[in-house]
Amino acid sequence: MTSSPPTERTTPPGEPSGDSSRPTPRTARGRFPMAAPRVFIPAAVILVLFSATAAIFPDRMGDWLASANTNVVIDLGWWYVLVVTSFVAFSLWMALSPMGSIVLGKDDEDPEFGLKSWFAMLFAAGMGIGLVFWGVAEPLNHLATPPPGTDVAGGPDQVARTAMDTTFLHWGLHAWAIYVVVGLAIAYAVHRKGRPISIRWALEPLLGKRILGFWGDVVDVVAIVGTLFGVATSLGFGVKQVGAGLSFLGVVDEASTPLLVLLIAIITGVALVSVVTGVDKGIRYLSNINMGVAAGLLVAVLLLGPTVFLLSDFVTQIGSYLQNFLKLSFDVRPFQGEAGQSWLSGWTTYYWGWWMSWAPFVGVFIARISRGRTVREFVLGVLLVPTMVTFLWFSVLGGTAIWTEMFGGGGLIGEEGVSTDLALFQMLDTLPLGTVLSVVAIFLIVVFFVTSSDSGSFVVDMLAEGGDPNPPVWSRAFWASMEGVVAAVLLMAGAGGLAALQTSAILVAAPFSIIMVLLMIATAKALLAENRVIQRKKRKWLATQIADEVTEGLQDSGTIPAVDPTPTKGSPRR
């Protein structure tokens, strides 16, 4: 006789599997309005003081950020490149190892959200506004000003290939691996072990009960501040592009700073309406709208543009990315001198810092919506599917811009280079129905803006409320408002609004990068321990099955007498 082997989805002894009935921190608040004042108050004070200082002394803040970019950010390049590449290796290890079969929840639990809604929410939260802003602008920038070390002598086609390779590096596996590290650590702690939704609990396998004290508070405060700056950077990009689009269409004369601040206020107000409805309503519906509109814009550009060229370039570019993956992953450009350092800090280091500043927000959010999925499903879903869609997006929009510049008459790269804010609208204007597509693009940016703002404030509020999955409405509104305020004051700061936003994102990501390394170690430690339990149970089951089969074989051959399993009357039970 045989029995079914023990499933690989086994909760280790002594560990509770994720239980949705677990009381949230909110049930123990009593008369106090905040569940975690040691996290909420310091994070709020830091952001309020920063916003007030930037609003009162914008020039000094701009000078300070410019100095920080020169003295700090440039020196972080090697660290960011090394640590982010290690995140890719970690993610692939988690997906391909036996640990990939462990469920982020109960062993027999089904995913909370369907695949379509799950993908739409994580994609919209992870890269919404950035994709629209940089979809045309980044490939064109690299074409106009090739990265230091590019083989310019190889001709325009080699420069164009390098431009797309560099863009794919910044938006491919590395970016999503950053989200995997944080999201997997939190999802395992929350859904598998039943812990509150908080960054600190993901460090429990490494720090133990110390996460309940000062260091746990520091981790959550850093995560909140980093998230607010990361989202504020994206919101700044969004309103800059909306303002440029309105100016391009003739709706306004100039996208001035007061207009951009007004746009932030209006769209943040819309986000406030969405954030109070929670994940199952406002955020989920907006994410699906995002995906629908983005897909429509993508298909329209593909069909109205050089279709065959774009599809051919998409296939070719995937091969080029894979072929040069290791070289791109570790390239810190040490032999290009100051030009290499300056380029790295303005592009790769900035992107890795931006992604890491977004990691607490996106990590918590995708962990929140990933209950019931296996580690392998989580990693592959978060790592591969969005990467391929992102590659298609850049191949279509960026490829159309490059084709226009190289074969279609040009005009997108002026004497002073690329107009980053206007690049998308200038490219759309070269296509049939260009004005209609520009209006659709502005609408898409606004909806992405709202989705990023309400998702970000929802996650920040969960962290600030001690892991409460349903934080109070007033605090959701507070954090959503702070995102708009930070974006507005950084745009008003000197040294260039976008430069201030970029520098801030990189700086606040520096301490969180250390936390992410600890998260990676803690997750590996926890999953390896659980996998050892699984393998031990499997070996025990296998030994039992072999012993039973051997015994049956010996009994059938008559080597040993068969034993009647039914005891006779008066005989002792065995």
Side-chain angles (χ1 to χ4, degrees):
M1 297 177 63
T2 60
S3 61
S4 300
T7 174
E8 295 187 12
R9 303 175 177 183
T10 303
T11 305
E15 292 289 359
S17 66
D19 184 1
S20 59
S21 63
R22 178 185 176 91
T24 66
R26 195 173 180 180
T27 60
R29 288 184 189 177
R31 298 175 299 169
F32 298 98
M34 291 176 287
R38 295 185 310 180
V39 175
F40 191 109
I41 293 176
V45 168
I46 290 173
L47 291 166
V48 169
L49 287 178
F50 176 88
S51 301
T53 302
I56 298 173
F57 307 106
D59 293 335
R60 290 188 180 181
M61 179 61 70
D63 293 341
W64 180 84
L65 289 173
S67 176
N69 182 68
T70 301
N71 299 322
V72 179
V73 172
I74 289 179
D75 295 332
L76 293 176
W78 68 270
W79 165 251
Y80 279 61
V81 168
L82 179 63
V83 74
V84 173
T85 302
S86 73
F87 295 158
V88 178
F90 171 79
S91 300
L92 295 176
W93 174 43
M94 288 290 106
L96 300 178
S97 71
M99 293 176 286
S101 298
I102 297 173
V103 177
L104 301 173
K106 296 180 180 179
D107 292 334
D108 58 349
E109 192 166 9
D110 293 326
E112 181 179 3
F113 293 99
L115 188 62
K116 180 181 177 181
S117 293
W118 180 62
F119 172 64
M121 285 190 287
L122 73 89
F123 188 82
M127 289 188 177
I129 294 176
L131 276 180
V132 182
F133 186 87
W134 291 111
V136 172
E138 180 166 355
L140 273 183
N141 271 285
H142 297 323
L143 182 68
T145 308
T150 300
D151 182 16
V152 179
D157 56 336
Q158 182 59 45
V159 174
R161 181 61 57 219
T162 301
M164 292 301 292
D165 280 344
T166 305
T167 302
F168 274 33
L169 168 70
H170 293 155
W171 294 84
L173 296 176
H174 290 75
W176 287 96
I178 293 172
Y179 298 156
V180 167
V181 169
V182 179
L184 179 60
I186 297 171
Y188 181 81
V190 172
H191 301 313
R192 187 70 175 171
K193 294 188 175 182
R195 304 302 190 238
I197 303 176
S198 178
I199 301 287
R200 71 171 70 198
W201 285 102
L203 292 171
E204 185 182 16
L206 196 62
L207 301 181
K209 297 304 178 183
R210 284 175 290 180
I211 59 171
L212 298 175
F214 172 77
W215 290 112
D217 296 337
V218 170
V219 168
D220 283 340
V221 169
V222 170
I224 290 172
V225 174
T227 298
L228 262 295
F229 275 96
V231 175
T233 302
S234 296
L235 302 189
F237 284 138
V239 294
K240 288 275 288 185
Q241 196 170 35
V242 169
L246 294 176
S247 177
F248 186 80
L249 294 175
V251 178
V252 296
D253 293 332
E254 180 184 359
S256 61
T257 298
L259 174 63
L260 299 181
V261 173
L262 178 61
L263 288 173
I264 289 177
I266 294 173
I267 303 177
T268 300
V270 177
L272 288 174
V273 177
S274 175
V275 74
V276 299
T277 63
V279 174
D280 292 329
K281 295 180 181 178
I283 298 175
R284 181 179 181 180
Y285 295 151
L286 282 174
S287 297
N288 286 320
I289 292 173
N290 281 342
M291 291 301 297
V293 177
L297 181 63
L298 181 71
V299 171
V301 174
L302 176 63
L303 296 179
L304 296 174
T307 307
V308 175
F309 170 85
L310 297 178
L311 294 177
S312 300
D313 183 55
F314 173 59
V315 175
T316 304
Q317 187 55 48
I318 291 176
S320 181
Y321 171 74
L322 295 176
Q323 180 182 6
N324 298 295
F325 181 79
L326 290 179
K327 178 183 177 181
L328 292 168
S329 299
F330 291 96
D331 191 0
V332 189
R333 305 179 188 274
F335 297 112
Q336 278 72 50
E338 293 184 4
Q341 289 183 328
S342 177
W343 185 91
L344 194 72
S345 66
W347 288 104
T348 305
T349 304
Y350 154 66
Y351 270 122
W352 295 167
W354 189 19
W355 299 148
M356 281 190 278
S357 67
W358 266 60
F361 152 39
V362 180
V364 171
F365 186 78
I366 63 178
R368 166 72 174 79
I369 63 176
S370 298
R371 185 185 185 95
R373 300 197 177 275
T374 65
V375 171
R376 183 170 296 111
E377 289 172 340
F378 180 92
V379 173
L380 295 181
V382 175
L383 193 65
L384 299 182
V385 177
T387 294
M388 292 304 298
V389 175
T390 300
F391 285 175
L392 180 61
W393 179 273
F394 277 99
S395 294
V396 172
L397 274 74
T400 300
I402 289 179
W403 182 90
T404 300
E405 193 61 31
M406 295 180 65
F407 309 112
L412 301 181
I413 300 177
E415 295 182 358
E416 298 181 358
V418 178
S419 176
T420 302
D421 297 341
L422 285 174
L424 171 64
F425 304 104
Q426 290 174 335
M427 184 277 290
L428 294 176
D429 193 49
T430 65
L431 301 175
L433 304 176
T435 302
V436 175
L437 294 178
S438 294
V439 173
V440 172
I442 292 176
F443 173 78
L444 181 62
I445 297 167
V446 171
V447 178
F448 268 134
F449 188 126
V450 174
T451 305
S452 297
S453 180
D454 60 14
S455 301
S457 57
F458 189 87
V459 168
V460 165
D461 202 15
M462 285 193 290
L463 296 177
E465 293 293 331
D468 188 347
N470 296 294
V473 173
W474 71 267
S475 54
R476 296 185 206 177
F478 171 79
W479 295 113
S481 301
M482 284 305 303
E483 289 166 5
V485 169
V486 171
V489 296
L490 285 176
L491 282 176
M492 291 187 296
L498 286 181
L501 290 167
Q502 291 177 344
T503 303
S504 300
I506 299 174
L507 288 176
V508 298
F512 193 72
S513 67
I514 299 174
I515 295 174
M516 288 188 65
V517 173
L518 298 178
L519 286 173
M520 190 166 53
I521 297 172
T523 304
K525 180 179 179 181
L527 289 174
L528 284 170
E530 180 161 350
N531 186 61
R532 284 194 293 269
V533 174
I534 293 171
Q535 297 303 320
R536 187 161 54 246
K537 289 186 176 183
K538 290 178 67 175
R539 288 193 298 269
K540 182 178 179 180
W541 171 87
L542 182 60
T544 302
Q545 297 305 305
I546 293 175
D548 290 345
E549 293 291 342
V550 170
T551 300
E552 290 181 7
L554 292 175
Q555 290 173 348
D556 292 341
S557 65
T559 304
I560 61 174
V563 179
D564 185 0
T566 305
T568 59
K569 184 176 182 181
S571 64
R573 291 181 177 269
R574 297 183 64 184

